[in-house]
Amino acid sequence: MNSPQNTKQTILALERLQRETETEKIAVVLDNTRFHHAKELTTLYEPGQLLERITPVFLPSYAPDQNPVEHVWNAAKNNIANIQREIPEETFGAFASHATGRALDHLPPRETENEFVS
């Protein structure tokens, strides 16, 4: 996906998060991916704008140990790395199965439909 599409998907996800948390203030930890800093997104955090209850908190420039998704990626990669598969789709399926089949101990399971990934 290109950056404008990533920005739009991020806006949709944050809008949904805000909608599902009623009136509470929300802090969202983001890495420094370019689309997280897109003006189209950052202006929406201002008072009176769509994402006004959300405060972005940006990780340092390079901090994979502070980014929880890096732990998920590493665990999944380590689980499938030494197994040769016939076609790329099998590797993708194994990776997706491992990553989505694991529960994170500190997060409660949520039963929501993912509208962002087909």
Side-chain angles (χ1 to χ4, degrees):
M1 269 194 262
N2 59 25
S3 288
Q5 184 64 29
N6 287 333
T7 300
K8 290 176 184 172
Q9 292 296 321
T10 301
I11 292 169
L12 288 172
L14 293 174
E15 180 184 22
R16 181 176 180 181
L17 173 66
Q18 185 172 256
R19 188 174 58 247
E20 291 181 1
T21 56
E22 299 173 14
T23 60
E24 302 150 3
K25 291 185 179 188
I26 306 164
V28 176
V29 178
L30 301 168
D31 60 18
N32 284 296
T33 303
R34 292 181 82 188
F35 61 83
H36 288 161
H37 293 279
K39 189 172 185 175
E40 179 184 357
L41 173 61
T42 58
T43 58
L44 296 177
Y45 300 127
E46 296 171 2
Q49 297 300 312
L50 180 66
L51 304 174
E52 69 179 338
R53 289 191 297 113
I54 294 178
T55 301
V57 177
F58 292 98
L59 291 172
S61 294
Y62 183 74
D65 55 323
Q66 295 177 11
N67 188 345
V69 75
E70 294 294 336
H71 299 282
V72 175
W73 285 116
N74 287 336
K77 284 189 281 188
N78 291 338
N79 183 266
I80 69 165
N82 294 324
I83 300 171
Q84 181 68 37
R85 301 211 166 54
E86 294 292 322
I87 58 175
E89 289 79 9
E90 289 177 358
T91 301
F92 175 80
F95 183 88
S97 176
H98 182 78
T100 59
R102 300 194 34 112
L104 300 176
D105 295 336
H106 62 285
L107 296 177
R110 289 180 51 175
E111 296 201 14
T112 59
E113 186 176 311
N114 188 339
E115 62 193 58
F116 305 114
V117 179
S118 59

